[in-house]
Amino acid sequence: MATATSPAGGQILESAERLRRGLGISFRDQIVEAIYEDARAIATGAVRQARPAGPTWDAKLDRILTSRIWGIPIMLLGLAVVFWLTIVGANYPSQAIALVLFRIEGAAVALFDAIGAPWWLTGFLWHGVYRGLAWVISVMLPPMAIFFPLFTILENLGYLPRAAFNMDWLFKRVGAHGKQALTMSMGLGCNAAGVIACRVIDSPRERLIAVLTNNFVPCNGRFPTLILLGIVFIAAAFPPSLATFAAAGSVVAVVVVGVLITLVVSWILSRTALKGEASSFTLELPPYRRPNIGQILYTSLIDRTLFVLYRAVIMAAPAGGVIWLLSNVVVGGESLAGWVSGFLDPLGRSIGLDGVILLAYIIAIPANEIVVPTILMTYTGAGMMIEIDSLAELRALLVGEQGWTLLTAVCLMLFSLLHNPCSTTIWTIYKETGSAKWTTIGALMPLATAFIVCFAVAQGVRLLL
Amino acid sequence: MTAALGLFLTTLAAALALALFWPRRGLLARWRQTHQLADRVLIEDALKHIHARELRGTLATPESLAGKLGVSVRQALEMIERMEEGGLAHSTGRGLRLTPSGRKAALRVIRAHRLLERYLADELRMPLEEVHATADRREHVLTAEEVDELEAQLGYPQQDPHGDPIPTSSGALESLEATALTDWPVGRPARIVHLEDEPPEALAGIVSAGLVLDMQIEVRQVGKERLVVWDGEQERELAPVFASNVFVAGLSHPVQPPVRLSSLEPGEAGRILALRCEGLGRRRLLDLGLTPGTVVECAFPGPLGEPTAYRVRGALIALRKEQGDEIEIEPVSAARRE
């Protein structure tokens, strides 16, 4: 603050104060008004605008995309199409990348053997660290490289704000912000990206709700688990002609459950820890635009895909090492993985799972992509993460040898949907909120939800049957 | 052996003494700080009370001070003695009066209090009846610099959320010209300029009756048990004891029912007269070009009925019903649109 030392300075401050009193309370409005008036004058002088005869294209599109009847079905259909393209489109490149990366692993192992490196060094570096890395890249990169550009196209078209507009009524009821619909769809690609996207919500309370609940929409990394379970357990109960639809339907059902849980948890949060009135909601619906290809590729590939992949890779490499150690360090005739999963088994059984699955989820905190390979590795006693291509073989292992039931599959799907966010997302929550407290809540609240829901389902079903 | 024990005991004693007497961090210093703060809070609250009584024209007495602060009359007398020693107040035949430096100190606390209320109501969106109690606790711990900074950040507001003028940093306080609603003649249009924030229970009663600052009203009926006012749309009732905490000023035109943006049907348009919100919400609306004088057209509602999209200066802006309610407009016929 300026202090008046000279008499003149004091006089100036005094008259400034007097003038301020005389301004009245609306002088701020008048300043903004004057700015807008200037802008309007400049615009009318410089821009010639043709008056369209009928309703414009934008108005016609809005009438359909936000209509009472078609608005929400179109939105759901759009989401389903994006899903389908991502799952189907990612399949082939994933296999191709895996083939190349695992061939490199084979060559490197052969080289290490040739120069006489100790088996544990080869195993740790190549079957552990490198294999974890290769697995995450091959499973994660293709879906993200498809999902994020598709998402960015919708964003560029101007459709996403309309989706938020359509959904806001629901979010208002639970004390959240309509733009949470956007951050949730973003979370389908990657929860870390979804958490970053919460920046678009400008009121702090609603933003925090969106950050804390983003984990309840399953990301790409969790899709493989859901799809696998859908195919092996749910689709098997249907005639072969309907099997693929049943599998896809079960995945969609899991997403819907996730959305419901998001709404419920948002409602609870806005009545407990984040109590408060819904603050100002304003949402601009920009004109529809032709997507800009260069911009789409840049924002989706550089900003989103590579950024997320970079973080995941940093986390996955050490996890690969840990997995290898767990399955190859043998104490008292049993591997560490065996010991830990044996210890976790009672807890796992109580929520409809088993110790091996819980162990896989602990190891997979850095990246959910490696859950299934880790489970298979521990079941078969292989020294490294593996994949089983044949469905019959997989069924024989899970159902025949390990005694999985439909209940195990449902509980695993729910656990996969609700459990704690991956370490990349936890780190992102910390970066975005800057608070250790909210990060802890963001990590533990979903975990608690997962345990409670799975316990209730498992015990409830066992009681009834 | 004894030497070692002696050394140990000396070290222990020294450590204990340090923990006790360490300047500013020691237990003794901590205890003194809390004590001094509690003491300062009492004195500052006393000054506020004397100031409020001076404004009302009925001077504070030791008894009123004791009642207000919840202390015994003897403690109140001790406090008055201390204030007189410090040159903050002096006793007269009719009661207590502030000295110029006492008034300055009182205004400093009132300034902190009202700016805090503004902050709590606008930025944190705390309910109106809760801001007073919170501001009462926080007003004593802010330094003068922090208060100045808060004022600048809030954009130099001139009134607190109850309509009380905020003193300036140089200690100038505008006087409020207002009449209690109980003394206002029946049938004369008025505008609510001030809601008394003490006691909070009365304010809660006023708020739940639906009366807000800046509302245009007219007293319809005065009875022993209730007072009926008309706000242009509906009648609202409140007990006279609450009404005496509502202050109004004259209005040059008859009470008009406000028309809100949220009442527009698709295709209808209106010109913005005023925004009835403060803080973050107001800034957002202004930033989007919803300034007074702007013509806004209702475009279409959302598929679930809410929010509604409005056309503002060529852009499409969606607002929830609450935001639409905060924008007062005059209807404009479609033909007269720019």
Side-chain angles (χ1 to χ4, degrees), chain A residues 20 31 34 51 55 62 64 111 151 209 219 313 356 376 394 421 452:
Chain A
R20 193 156 64 215
I31 293 173
R51 282 252 156 198
D62 271 332
I64 300 166
L111 182 70
F151 197 76
I209 290 179
C219 64
V313 160
V356 172
L376 298 182
L394 199 61
I452 292 168

mmCIF file of all heavy atoms in Angstrom, chain A residues 20 31 34 51 55 62 64 111 151 209 219 313 356 376 394 421 452:
data_model
loop_
_atom_site.group_PDB
_atom_site.id
_atom_site.type_symbol
_atom_site.label_atom_id
_atom_site.label_comp_id
_atom_site.label_asym_id
_atom_site.label_seq_id
_atom_site.Cartn_x
_atom_site.Cartn_y
_atom_site.Cartn_z
ATOM 1 N N ARG A 20 -14.249 7.705 -5.196
ATOM 2 C CA ARG A 20 -14.688 6.320 -5.213
ATOM 3 C C ARG A 20 -16.049 6.184 -4.547
ATOM 4 O O ARG A 20 -16.911 5.437 -4.990
ATOM 5 C CB ARG A 20 -13.651 5.454 -4.508
ATOM 6 C CG ARG A 20 -13.889 3.989 -4.756
ATOM 7 C CD ARG A 20 -12.645 3.162 -4.606
ATOM 8 N NE ARG A 20 -12.148 3.194 -3.256
ATOM 9 C CZ ARG A 20 -10.867 3.182 -2.928
ATOM 10 N NH1 ARG A 20 -9.970 3.170 -3.871
ATOM 11 N NH2 ARG A 20 -10.486 3.205 -1.694
ATOM 12 N N ILE A 31 -17.950 -0.264 -16.367
ATOM 13 C CA ILE A 31 -16.694 -0.477 -17.090
ATOM 14 C C ILE A 31 -16.865 -1.622 -18.094
ATOM 15 O O ILE A 31 -16.524 -1.489 -19.273
ATOM 16 C CB ILE A 31 -15.554 -0.800 -16.098
ATOM 17 C CG1 ILE A 31 -15.252 0.427 -15.242
ATOM 18 C CG2 ILE A 31 -14.305 -1.241 -16.856
ATOM 19 C CD1 ILE A 31 -14.263 0.159 -14.131
ATOM 20 N N ALA A 34 -18.967 -0.593 -20.943
ATOM 21 C CA ALA A 34 -18.267 0.293 -21.877
ATOM 22 C C ALA A 34 -17.354 -0.523 -22.792
ATOM 23 O O ALA A 34 -17.276 -0.271 -23.994
ATOM 24 C CB ALA A 34 -17.452 1.316 -21.096
ATOM 25 N N ARG A 51 -27.763 -11.503 -43.296
ATOM 26 C CA ARG A 51 -28.879 -12.033 -42.504
ATOM 27 C C ARG A 51 -29.407 -13.285 -43.176
ATOM 28 O O ARG A 51 -29.913 -13.213 -44.293
ATOM 29 C CB ARG A 51 -29.989 -10.982 -42.428
ATOM 30 C CG ARG A 51 -29.687 -9.894 -41.429
ATOM 31 C CD ARG A 51 -30.576 -10.047 -40.205
ATOM 32 N NE ARG A 51 -29.959 -9.422 -39.056
ATOM 33 C CZ ARG A 51 -30.309 -9.680 -37.788
ATOM 34 N NH1 ARG A 51 -31.265 -10.542 -37.567
ATOM 35 N NH2 ARG A 51 -29.729 -9.077 -36.793
ATOM 36 N N PRO A 55 -33.835 -20.445 -40.463
ATOM 37 C CA PRO A 55 -32.976 -20.813 -39.330
ATOM 38 C C PRO A 55 -31.629 -21.318 -39.842
ATOM 39 O O PRO A 55 -31.543 -21.956 -40.882
ATOM 40 C CB PRO A 55 -33.758 -21.924 -38.626
ATOM 41 C CG PRO A 55 -34.815 -22.362 -39.574
ATOM 42 C CD PRO A 55 -35.049 -21.248 -40.538
ATOM 43 N N ASP A 62 -28.781 -27.885 -33.471
ATOM 44 C CA ASP A 62 -29.070 -27.813 -32.041
ATOM 45 C C ASP A 62 -30.441 -28.387 -31.737
ATOM 46 O O ASP A 62 -30.634 -29.033 -30.718
ATOM 47 C CB ASP A 62 -28.995 -26.361 -31.559
ATOM 48 C CG ASP A 62 -27.602 -26.004 -31.117
ATOM 49 O OD1 ASP A 62 -26.879 -26.920 -30.694
ATOM 50 O OD2 ASP A 62 -27.242 -24.814 -31.177
ATOM 51 N N ILE A 64 -31.914 -30.776 -33.118
ATOM 52 C CA ILE A 64 -31.891 -32.251 -33.076
ATOM 53 C C ILE A 64 -31.040 -32.752 -31.910
ATOM 54 O O ILE A 64 -31.468 -33.581 -31.117
ATOM 55 C CB ILE A 64 -31.317 -32.805 -34.402
ATOM 56 C CG1 ILE A 64 -32.196 -32.354 -35.572
ATOM 57 C CG2 ILE A 64 -31.225 -34.312 -34.343
ATOM 58 C CD1 ILE A 64 -31.556 -32.563 -36.909
ATOM 59 N N LEU A 111 20.931 -62.745 -26.850
ATOM 60 C CA LEU A 111 22.212 -62.039 -26.827
ATOM 61 C C LEU A 111 22.838 -62.146 -25.437
ATOM 62 O O LEU A 111 24.022 -62.448 -25.291
ATOM 63 C CB LEU A 111 21.993 -60.570 -27.216
ATOM 64 C CG LEU A 111 23.263 -59.705 -27.276
ATOM 65 C CD1 LEU A 111 24.116 -60.111 -28.472
ATOM 66 C CD2 LEU A 111 22.915 -58.233 -27.348
ATOM 67 N N PHE A 151 -12.253 -38.405 -29.741
ATOM 68 C CA PHE A 151 -12.778 -37.500 -28.725
ATOM 69 C C PHE A 151 -12.511 -36.049 -29.114
ATOM 70 O O PHE A 151 -13.372 -35.180 -28.992
ATOM 71 C CB PHE A 151 -12.077 -37.836 -27.407
ATOM 72 C CG PHE A 151 -12.770 -37.286 -26.203
ATOM 73 C CD1 PHE A 151 -13.917 -37.888 -25.730
ATOM 74 C CD2 PHE A 151 -12.275 -36.173 -25.548
ATOM 75 C CE1 PHE A 151 -14.557 -37.398 -24.617
ATOM 76 C CE2 PHE A 151 -12.913 -35.680 -24.437
ATOM 77 C CZ PHE A 151 -14.058 -36.295 -23.970
ATOM 78 N N ILE A 209 -15.220 -32.370 -6.844
ATOM 79 C CA ILE A 209 -16.117 -33.526 -6.959
ATOM 80 C C ILE A 209 -15.783 -34.307 -8.226
ATOM 81 O O ILE A 209 -15.662 -35.538 -8.211
ATOM 82 C CB ILE A 209 -17.590 -33.073 -6.983
ATOM 83 C CG1 ILE A 209 -17.987 -32.538 -5.605
ATOM 84 C CG2 ILE A 209 -18.508 -34.230 -7.374
ATOM 85 C CD1 ILE A 209 -19.417 -32.051 -5.534
ATOM 86 N N CYS A 219 -11.254 -46.810 -17.488
ATOM 87 C CA CYS A 219 -10.414 -46.277 -18.557
ATOM 88 C C CYS A 219 -10.051 -47.399 -19.525
ATOM 89 O O CYS A 219 -10.321 -48.569 -19.274
ATOM 90 C CB CYS A 219 -9.156 -45.652 -17.967
ATOM 91 S SG CYS A 219 -8.111 -46.859 -17.143
ATOM 92 N N VAL A 313 4.578 -45.249 -18.662
ATOM 93 C CA VAL A 313 5.812 -46.004 -18.884
ATOM 94 C C VAL A 313 6.739 -45.864 -17.677
ATOM 95 O O VAL A 313 7.337 -46.826 -17.200
ATOM 96 C CB VAL A 313 6.487 -45.524 -20.184
ATOM 97 C CG1 VAL A 313 7.946 -45.913 -20.201
ATOM 98 C CG2 VAL A 313 5.762 -46.114 -21.383
ATOM 99 N N VAL A 356 -4.857 -64.254 -5.400
ATOM 100 C CA VAL A 356 -4.057 -63.966 -6.595
ATOM 101 C C VAL A 356 -4.560 -62.676 -7.269
ATOM 102 O O VAL A 356 -3.781 -61.824 -7.702
ATOM 103 C CB VAL A 356 -4.115 -65.151 -7.574
ATOM 104 C CG1 VAL A 356 -3.448 -64.792 -8.887
ATOM 105 C CG2 VAL A 356 -3.454 -66.364 -6.946
ATOM 106 N N LEU A 376 -2.626 -64.538 -14.682
ATOM 107 C CA LEU A 376 -2.307 -65.762 -15.418
ATOM 108 C C LEU A 376 -0.927 -66.276 -15.036
ATOM 109 O O LEU A 376 -0.721 -67.477 -14.856
ATOM 110 C CB LEU A 376 -2.401 -65.510 -16.923
ATOM 111 C CG LEU A 376 -3.786 -65.112 -17.436
ATOM 112 C CD1 LEU A 376 -3.770 -64.938 -18.942
ATOM 113 C CD2 LEU A 376 -4.842 -66.131 -17.019
ATOM 114 N N LEU A 394 -8.131 -70.929 -21.749
ATOM 115 C CA LEU A 394 -8.358 -69.935 -20.702
ATOM 116 C C LEU A 394 -9.484 -70.373 -19.769
ATOM 117 O O LEU A 394 -9.374 -70.297 -18.546
ATOM 118 C CB LEU A 394 -8.712 -68.597 -21.358
ATOM 119 C CG LEU A 394 -8.557 -67.340 -20.503
ATOM 120 C CD1 LEU A 394 -7.112 -67.174 -20.074
ATOM 121 C CD2 LEU A 394 -9.006 -66.125 -21.287
ATOM 122 N N PRO A 421 -7.592 -45.624 -8.024
ATOM 123 C CA PRO A 421 -7.006 -45.217 -9.311
ATOM 124 C C PRO A 421 -5.560 -45.688 -9.418
ATOM 125 O O PRO A 421 -4.907 -45.954 -8.410
ATOM 126 C CB PRO A 421 -7.086 -43.693 -9.276
ATOM 127 C CG PRO A 421 -7.375 -43.306 -7.875
ATOM 128 C CD PRO A 421 -7.991 -44.476 -7.198
ATOM 129 N N ILE A 452 -16.611 -52.490 -0.320
ATOM 130 C CA ILE A 452 -17.975 -52.545 0.206
ATOM 131 C C ILE A 452 -18.921 -53.167 -0.818
ATOM 132 O O ILE A 452 -19.681 -54.094 -0.515
ATOM 133 C CB ILE A 452 -18.455 -51.130 0.594
ATOM 134 C CG1 ILE A 452 -17.669 -50.629 1.800
ATOM 135 C CG2 ILE A 452 -19.949 -51.137 0.908
ATOM 136 C CD1 ILE A 452 -17.846 -49.166 2.095
#
